[in-house]
Amino acid sequence: MSTPRTRPPEADRRTLIADTAIDLVAAAGLRGLTHRAVDGAAGLPAGSTSYYFRTRTALIGACYARLAELDLGDVGDLSGFGGVGAVGDAGGEVGGVGEVGGEGSPRPSLPPPPGPAPADREAAAAALAGLLHRWLTVGRARQLARFELSLEAARNPELEADFHRAGQGARARAAGILAALGARRPEEAAELLVAWTDGLLYDRLAGALARSRPAPDLPELTSITRRMLNAVLVEG
């Protein structure tokens, strides 16, 4: 007698659906995102996606939450240098798929801590370069989906709030890292750094020359991130 198959936990199935939806958006744009397409690509019984996410808006919201969760984990990997331990204390944690966390309370400008050793800043530049290299190579699909989904949020008021909330956790962690590196106004510095990194990612993944030039290697990216950090730490 065959053993009945164990049904995956609901949280795992929600994550599988969100991950599959992100992959579909990266490959085919939003026109390729349907409940039926997600069921097929995920190997789920027909109707599974619509059971968990009734509407297309809810499904896109799940993509935002999952992207935020993954990005937050990636940015958290940057917290092992410069004495940054509790970066998450900056606030703005993001919940799991199907639940987007709050924005967190704004924080006042911080007094400048003791200046970081040059090695701390260099380690930060190397860590950020490694993260960007990952997003430009093995994480390319996720970033393409993020850009595609951001445009949908700009056009759809129902999605705009969820999209902007989803981006706050990684920004808060970046602010914590920059504070540890000596930024006087870490939230402002984080906004500037995120804008620059988003611009670099878009330019290399979808810009006019994206298909005609290779992705930057780690030494090039480290040179870029070093200049970024030096600029935001002077300004911030």
Side-chain angles (χ1 to χ4, degrees):
M1 190 167 98
S2 62
T3 303
R5 296 179 63 185
T6 302
R7 186 177 180 185
E10 181 170 317
D12 291 348
R13 187 167 285 204
R14 285 176 174 271
T15 299
L16 172 62
I17 289 169
D19 285 342
T20 304
I22 289 166
D23 288 342
L24 286 171
V25 172
L30 281 165
R31 67 181 181 277
L33 183 63
T34 66
H35 289 77
R36 181 180 296 179
V38 174
D39 287 341
L44 294 172
S48 295
T49 300
S50 60
Y51 174 80
Y52 289 102
F53 305 104
R54 295 285 183 186
T55 65
R56 194 165 185 269
T57 296
L59 181 58
I60 292 173
C63 292
Y64 292 155
R66 179 60 173 158
L67 287 167
E69 183 180 8
L70 293 168
D71 285 351
L72 192 61
D74 285 347
V75 174
D77 291 344
L78 301 180
S79 62
F81 57 83
V84 185
V87 180
D89 290 347
E93 295 295 329
V94 177
V97 174
E99 177 189 7
V100 180
E103 296 187 26
S105 302
R107 299 172 63 201
S109 297
L110 300 176
D120 291 340
R121 195 174 293 189
E122 190 61 27
L128 180 56
L131 176 58
L132 290 173
H133 188 264
R134 190 191 321 164
W135 284 349
L136 287 167
T137 54
V138 296
R140 178 178 183 275
R142 194 211 306 174
Q143 298 307 313
L144 287 173
R146 185 168 66 86
F147 287 126
E148 184 89 23
L149 288 161
S150 69
L151 293 175
E152 182 67 11
R155 293 187 288 258
N156 187 338
E158 289 184 73
L159 293 168
E160 185 177 10
D162 279 351
F163 175 74
H164 287 291
R165 274 198 302 272
Q168 294 306 307
R171 288 171 184 261
R173 288 203 172 180
I177 292 169
L178 291 168
L181 289 172
R184 185 184 295 268
R185 294 183 295 276
E187 288 81 10
E188 294 177 20
E191 289 180 5
L192 185 56
L193 184 63
V194 169
W196 282 346
T197 55
D198 270 353
L200 185 148
L201 288 167
Y202 184 86
D203 181 60
R204 295 304 178 108
L205 292 173
L209 300 178
R211 292 186 177 274
S212 62
R213 64 185 174 191
D217 58 19
L218 275 173
E220 180 186 353
L221 283 171
T222 302
S223 175
I224 292 170
T225 55
R226 185 184 298 116
R227 294 198 299 271
M228 284 181 180
L229 286 173
N230 286 340
V232 299
L233 290 171
V234 168
E235 294 295 329

